[in-house]
Amino acid sequence: MLLSDESVHTGGAKRDPAERSVPRPAKAVVGVGLVLLSALAFGSTPAFVRLAYSAQINGVSLVAFRCLIAAAVLWILSRTLGEGTVRRRSALRLVAIGAVLFGPQMWSYFAALHLLDTSVTVAVVYVYPAIVAVLVAFRLRKLPRRAELILLLLALGGIAMIALFNGAALDSTTGMLLAGLTAVGYAIYVVVADTAVRDVPPNTAASLVLVGAGASSVLAALVTQQLELPTSPAGWSYIALHGLIIVPIGLASYYAGLKRLGAARTSVVDTSQPAIAAGIGVAALGEQLAFFQIVGIVAVMVAVLGLPIMAAAQAAPRGWPASPRVADPSGMSPK
């Protein structure tokens, strides 16, 4: 696994300072809010992907256009905000992450949405926090804290309720495999991105990842002869919605939250996305929620809201200084 240059050597094992430190309560609250904003943006993606399909836009072309447009938007935003320059090595690394990890997992995700109900697809994909927890524990040679494990298990239990009590059956083996592949790919992406965005401002980092994802998607669409422009105003409107609003907001806020929380904690908060996607599916697509799916949504939200409460409880005995001027112990203060 990739290790940060900022990792320290303790007891013979390299440990990530962000992962072994406890976020200050205020920092955790801001981080949770940012990741929830990202979850709201990306939680709307399945519904708008299905609507884009109805406008005769294929999945690979949709990924390509949404990524390239969003990359331009975020790059302009980063220049407007005066974000600093990025070392060439860091920039190339982020582009590679987008091309190899972020883009391909979106292809499988959008393909799964063709075959499964929205709430089922997103619920299956969101076993990824468990995979992240395993990868982080392996990298740091340390198990997550008991409280984090409890929150993770509560969130995964809620996700299981959302998926298993869905009236639209799990009758597509291919769809389930694609959703599972997405979960694995996204978990690897989150862990690798956690080490890659440390020294890069969030909007710049997001734009570079999207350039890589867009480039690999264009190449894949050309090879498979699927690259095509929308043929209707509705198609162009969905492309614009994805590229100008959903992806820029979702990815920039996600990276800003990731800087504050680290990969494992961010993935716990991001488990709110199945609940959000299920709710949007009901509102926009007329999908139905069973009673136990509602219980699952409540369980996910309790797990997410428990994270800043846990951070406050763990920080209090350690006596965190109240002054916001004190240096960030994680070494990951946003730039």
Side-chain angles (χ1 to χ4, degrees), residues 7-8 20 23-24 57 65 78 126 140 149 167 170 184 217 223 249 261 290 305 313 331:
S7 295
V8 294
R20 66 188 177 90
R24 285 176 296 206
I57 303 174
F65 293 135
S78 72
Y126 272 76
L140 303 181
L149 285 174
L170 312 173
V184 174
S217 298
V223 170
I249 291 175
L261 298 178
L305 294 173

Side-chain angles (χ1 to χ4, degrees), residues 64-80 203-204 206-212 214 243-244 247-248 251:
F65 293 135
R66 79 198 294 260
C67 287
L68 293 176
I69 294 171
V73 171
L74 288 169
W75 183 258
I76 293 171
L77 180 60
S78 72
R79 299 303 93 189
T80 302
N203 296 307
T204 303
S207 67
L208 291 168
V209 169
L210 288 169
V211 166
L244 297 176
V247 179
L251 208 54

